[in-house]
Amino acid sequence: MQYKETLLELIFSTDKDALATWIRAQPALERVDICRELKEVLPAVMEARGKGKEAAAYCAQLEKAANELEESYLDAQLASLTADLADTRLAESMDKLDKAMQKLRQYLRECLEAGGPNTAGMIETIAGIIASEKENNMYAADEWLWFTAYE
């Protein structure tokens, strides 16, 4: 038992809040182990204090608290990992979108420079893309400088 000595010292301390204060100061996952060790130490301590009959109820409460604390900690870890994964996927998707937009701009530029019967339609399409980029705060004026000759 890793925490047995500390637990016994704090249980028999004259400071009634010492045990709770110490447990709260420990990292979340260690608190689970501490509660489970306390559950093992508590029956003997309570028996020595003449409260052996109450030990089972306290131990059940400690086990329940340890399980809830562990579940809460694991849920928080999972949420954090899920958020990190979502951020990573978003960044990857934005990179793909940026590359696709660069290719699209290049294609549109080549089509306009080549001329042809659809030039007016291309200009209208490009104006729509630029408007959409502006609406979505994705507009980069330097990417469309070449288009000013066609407006």
Side-chain angles (χ1 to χ4, degrees):
M1 292 177 132
Q2 181 180 352
Y3 304 102
K4 183 178 181 177
E5 287 181 34
T6 305
L7 288 170
L8 289 173
E9 181 181 313
L10 293 170
I11 287 170
F12 292 110
S13 169
T14 55
D15 181 359
K16 292 180 182 181
D17 297 326
L19 179 61
T21 302
W22 177 75
I23 290 173
R24 284 188 199 103
Q26 304 310 305
L29 195 55
E30 286 184 35
R31 289 184 216 155
V32 174
D33 294 334
I34 291 167
C35 285
R36 290 198 172 121
E37 279 193 37
L38 182 57
K39 184 185 85 161
E40 299 300 319
V41 170
L42 199 57
V45 172
M46 291 185 77
E47 187 68 41
R49 289 185 173 175
K51 297 183 177 185
K53 293 180 182 179
E54 299 169 26
Y58 282 114
C59 289
Q61 288 176 355
L62 277 171
E63 184 63 27
K64 181 179 178 188
N67 289 338
E68 288 173 358
L69 184 60
E70 184 175 42
E71 189 173 318
S72 172
Y73 174 80
L74 293 174
D75 286 347
Q77 290 295 94
L78 179 59
S80 176
L81 291 172
T82 301
D84 290 348
L85 180 59
D87 287 344
T88 300
R89 288 186 176 165
L90 176 61
E92 289 170 354
S93 295
M94 292 304 291
D95 286 344
K96 287 179 183 178
L97 177 61
D98 187 47
K99 288 176 184 173
M101 288 303 297
Q102 288 174 4
K103 289 180 182 179
L104 177 63
R105 284 187 212 98
Q106 183 61 35
Y107 173 74
L108 293 170
R109 183 177 187 173
E110 290 169 5
C111 289
L112 280 180
E113 289 173 353
N118 294 328
T119 301
M122 285 289 221
I123 291 171
E124 190 177 314
T125 300
I126 293 169
I129 292 171
I130 290 172
S132 176
E133 284 185 2
K134 286 179 179 179
E135 278 182 34
N136 293 300
N137 295 320
M138 296 175 62
Y139 178 69
D142 57 323
E143 298 286 344
W144 293 103
L145 288 176
W146 59 269
F147 181 65
T148 55
Y150 298 95
E151 292 182 293

